[in-house]
């Protein structure tokens, strides 16, 4: 890929990331988390972004699509949008906040529940997509 | 204005993650996903540092926008699943344990560093 192509990919990642982060910010405004509450919104955002990435990656890499996907689709939607929508830093900071708030059980619950939900979501997103979209077959 | 701050931060954070991943793959190959690990740890540290900053605008620009888009849970989960499905179960467990431990350690370090301010 030339410099020009590389710049287009970086631009697609930046645009997708800006949209994803805006969506996450919007979710936080719609469903704000009180200071000492369990961060349901961030957990849900992270799980939803993982499910979306699971669907997208199977669609782009495993399924038979008549038209080849646009080369900027993966950087825009996957690396950009899903990456910008989900967050690891807020997860880490919120876990620390819960652990410090004198209730370590909730902190550990949040730590583990996010991890399990996210892994299950990315797996389920891919599995459901494989089940409903025709899987790529080797050309005869 | 608030939305623009988030977008501006994310428009820098997301490409930084992408480029870090490119460099890490070129340098360390396709074993453990070091690029995602690095951005998640660095982003957690910076977000911890920001607890020492009172400006709401800086929080939106650098916290919600930049750190939020620099770090990722979706790629972390996807790469972990790929390691597991590809038979590298030990690496998958190592990636999870290492990312959680280093991410929490980094956010702790960031908050403690910001405390005296």
């Amino acid at each position: 890929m030339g410099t020009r192509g590389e710049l287009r990919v970086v631009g697609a990642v930046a645009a997708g990331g800006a949209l994803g982060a805006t969506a996450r910010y919007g979710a936080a405004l719609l469903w704000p988390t009180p200071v000492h509450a369990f961060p349901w919104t961030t957990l849900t955002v992270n799980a939803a972004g993982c499910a979306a990435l699971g669907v997208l990656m199977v669609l782009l890499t495993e399924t038979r699509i008549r038209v080849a996907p646009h080369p900027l689709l993966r950087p825009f939607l996957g690396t950009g949008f899903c990456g910008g929508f989900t967050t690891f830093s807020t997860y880490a900071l919120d876990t620390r906040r819960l652990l410090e708030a004198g209730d370590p059980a909730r902190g550990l619950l949040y730590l583990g529940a996010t991890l399990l939900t996210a892994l299950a979501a990315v797996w389920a997103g891919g599995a459901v997509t494989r089940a409903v979209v025709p899987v790529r077959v080797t050309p005869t | 204005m608030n939305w623009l701050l988030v977008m501006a931060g994310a428009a820098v954070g997301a490409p930084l993650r992408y480029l870090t991943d490119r460099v890490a793959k070129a340098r360390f190959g396709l074993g453990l996903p070091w690029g995602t690990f690095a951005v998640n740890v660095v982003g957690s540290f910076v977000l911890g540092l920001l607890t020492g900053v009172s400006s709401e605008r800086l929080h939106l620009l650098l916290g919600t926008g930049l750190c939020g888009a620099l770090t990722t849970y979706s790629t972390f989960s996807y790469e972990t699943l790929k390691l597991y499905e590809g038979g590298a179960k030990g690496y998958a467990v190592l990636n999870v344990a290492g990312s959680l431990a280093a991410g929490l350690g980094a956010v702790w370090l960031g908050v403690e560093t910001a405390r005296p301010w």
Side-chain angles (χ1 to χ4, degrees):
Chain A
M1 197 181 340
T3 312
R4 199 184 160 84
E6 187 63 63
L7 273 176
R8 278 157 56 99
V9 173
V10 168
V13 170
L19 276 180
T22 304
R24 171 165 41 79
Y25 177 56
L29 290 181
L30 278 175
W31 304 287
T33 302
V35 181
H36 292 295
F38 194 84
W40 283 110
T41 306
T42 304
L43 193 158
T44 308
V45 159
N46 275 336
C50 286
L53 188 66
V55 171
L56 180 77
M57 293 309 286
V58 167
L59 279 181
L60 290 184
T61 60
E62 294 177 27
T63 53
R64 181 175 47 176
I65 302 172
R66 285 179 199 286
V67 185
H70 193 281
L72 292 181
L73 208 56
R74 180 174 168 174
F76 177 71
L77 288 178
T79 315
F81 186 86
C82 292
F85 186 56
T86 62
T87 173
F88 192 92
S89 48
T90 305
Y91 162 71
L93 188 64
D94 282 344
T95 301
R96 182 201 173 276
R97 181 174 55 75
L98 290 170
L99 289 172
E100 288 266 296
D103 195 356
R106 289 180 88 202
L108 291 175
L109 179 70
Y110 178 63
L111 185 78
T114 298
L115 177 70
L116 291 180
T117 318
L119 289 174
V122 76
W123 172 82
V128 168
T129 310
R130 277 188 205 107
V132 294
V133 182
V135 173
R136 180 183 289 160
V137 287
T138 41
T140 47
Chain B
M1 181 64 186
N2 289 352
W3 297 86
L4 285 179
L5 288 168
V6 172
M7 289 183 96
V12 174
L16 270 181
R17 168 164 44 79
Y18 168 73
L19 293 170
T20 304
D21 191 53
R22 288 281 308 266
V23 170
K25 282 202 173 90
R27 176 75 179 78
F28 300 108
L30 300 168
L32 275 170
W34 286 111
T36 306
F37 176 84
V39 290
N40 279 345
V41 170
V42 170
S44 298
F45 174 73
V46 174
L47 193 68
L49 274 185
L50 283 169
T51 56
V53 173
S54 59
S55 160
E56 194 197 345
R57 288 185 167 183
L58 268 182
H59 274 278
L60 289 169
L61 180 74
L62 299 180
T64 313
L66 194 128
C67 290
L70 177 68
T71 65
T72 174
Y73 219 95
S74 49
T75 306
F76 161 68
S77 302
Y78 179 75
E79 287 169 342
T80 301
L81 181 72
K82 281 284 138 189
L83 284 172
Y84 189 85
E85 286 181 344
K89 296 184 180 173
Y91 272 7
V93 173
L94 192 65
N95 189 44
V96 165
S99 295
L100 295 195
L104 276 178
V107 87
W108 228 285
L109 196 65
V111 171
E112 293 306 318
T113 308
R115 213 184 277 282
W117 299 348

